[in-house]
Amino acid sequence: MQQKMMQPACKARTAARFPKGVVAPFTCIKPIHTRCSIVLEAAMRDTTAVPVMSKGELNQFPGSAGVYAVFDRDGALQYIGLSRKVSASVAAHMQELPDLTGSIKYDIVEDGTREGLTSAWKSWVEEALAETGSIPPGNMPGETKWQSRSVARATKPEIRLTAGKPIQGITIEGIIDRIVKENSVVVFVKGTRQQPQCGFSARMLSILTTLKADFEVVNVLDEYHNPGLREAIKSYSQWPTIPQLYIGGDFVGGADIAEQMLGTGELQTMLREALQKA
């Protein structure tokens, strides 16, 4: 009887010869003692690039651990990363590097441990190196702009209008008015500080973050804590779109207006004056 050949429990992968200094994008890499396991992850070439934005809205990405590749608007590979939560990393890149974040390829890694994610990341970097002759520019030694600041740093929680109960004793417009007047700088956006849910909200948060402004955020999509806010804020300001920025109790405008004021220096002046009065 012909015996079946026993397959090895695992197959050693040839180590990638990366340029000196290239490591997986963790803040700290420690020696890993691995156990032999079979890992079947998708190759980057076999995954589909998903546009980050669709019809002005941020596409939904999985909130699971995985490896991902970022392509610019021309389809050029810019960065390969790994994340405990892919959706948060993509939103952060869109907020901080919108011009370089056009589409995403990703693969969810079942082994979400540090060693599992690092193995998948190395595989994708090896693939890019083999196909292009170089690693992506965002993974080059000394490059730090893709190491997300908004995910890594501690951030303020969003302001909530209620504790999850119906509003009583005051109108929602009254709560909005109080929030606007009690906070020097407050912005009403779609999504959260770390995960904006539309491109305009991401741009607004990026502008304020770049200016290192001390600002508050209110999520108009949080119907549990902020019921009816999405329409109420439009009525309050008589402005039809979101996001909406308020400085010193006054309505400033949306993302386009904030961007124009940033270019002229007017926004910087308003923020400085408002924070000095606080």
Side-chain angles (χ1 to χ4, degrees):
M1 178 183 293
Q2 184 177 5
Q3 290 185 336
K4 293 183 179 180
M5 183 177 295
M6 296 296 293
Q7 296 296 324
C10 67
K11 182 179 180 180
R13 178 182 289 144
T14 304
R17 296 181 179 178
F18 302 142
K20 185 178 180 181
V22 177
V23 296
F26 280 120
T27 55
C28 179
I29 300 296
K30 298 179 180 179
I32 297 172
H33 300 284
T34 63
R35 290 194 302 269
C36 200
S37 61
I38 298 175
V39 180
L40 298 175
E41 306 295 348
M44 182 168 55
R45 70 176 68 87
D46 296 329
T47 59
T48 302
V50 180
V52 175
M53 304 296 299
S54 178
K55 297 180 180 179
E57 299 288 333
L58 186 69
N59 275 326
Q60 295 296 312
F61 291 90
S64 306
V67 60
Y68 63 93
V70 184
F71 298 80
D72 62 22
R73 295 171 183 174
D74 295 325
L77 178 61
Q78 295 295 322
Y79 177 70
I80 296 175
L82 49 82
S83 176
R84 302 289 187 193
K85 190 174 183 180
V86 171
S87 58
S89 295
V90 172
H93 294 323
M94 182 61 194
Q95 180 179 337
E96 296 171 355
L97 300 167
D99 294 336
L100 296 178
T101 310
S103 61
I104 303 292
K105 285 189 174 186
Y106 65 88
D107 184 42
I108 299 307
V109 178
E110 289 189 11
D111 180 4
T113 63
R114 180 185 292 264
E115 67 179 73
L117 288 170
T118 302
S119 175
W121 176 85
K122 285 183 178 179
S123 178
W124 277 33
V125 174
E126 289 174 17
E127 183 181 343
L129 183 59
E131 292 187 357
T132 66
S134 64
I135 64 173
N139 296 106
M140 291 296 291
E143 179 59 75
T144 61
K145 65 173 175 284
W146 289 95
Q147 296 175 8
S148 176
R149 295 174 294 280
S150 60
V151 169
R153 68 171 181 268
T155 57
K156 293 182 180 179
E158 287 69 39
I159 291 178
R160 295 172 172 176
L161 273 59
T162 76
K165 300 177 180 179
I167 297 174
Q168 297 179 345
I170 187 173
T171 64
I172 189 170
E173 288 78 10
I175 298 178
I176 293 172
D177 190 61
R178 188 187 68 199
I179 290 173
V180 166
K181 291 179 179 176
E182 288 182 353
N183 295 281
S184 299
V185 183
V186 59
V187 59
F188 294 80
V189 301
K190 294 179 181 178
T192 65
R193 191 186 296 262
Q194 290 187 349
Q195 288 186 264
Q197 295 299 308
C198 79
F200 293 109
S201 293
R203 282 169 55 195
M204 178 71 83
L205 292 169
S206 178
I207 290 170
L208 296 174
T209 300
T210 299
L211 294 177
K212 299 181 179 180
D214 184 10
F215 64 98
E216 305 296 337
V217 173
V218 188
N219 180 8
V220 303
L221 300 183
D222 184 354
E223 280 295 322
Y224 182 73
H225 296 101
N226 307 328
L229 178 58
R230 185 171 183 172
E231 296 304 319
I233 190 64
K234 297 176 184 178
S235 175
Y236 175 83
S237 63
Q238 295 299 298
W239 188 260
T241 60
I242 296 167
Q244 295 188 13
L245 174 63
Y246 294 79
I247 299 178
D250 296 324
F251 175 59
V252 176
D256 288 338
I257 292 177
E259 203 161 48
Q260 292 172 7
M261 294 174 65
L262 174 68
T264 63
E266 185 180 0
L267 182 61
Q268 294 90 317
T269 300
M270 288 187 66
L271 288 170
R272 184 170 57 252
E273 292 178 349
L275 295 174
Q276 286 175 348
K277 294 178 182 179

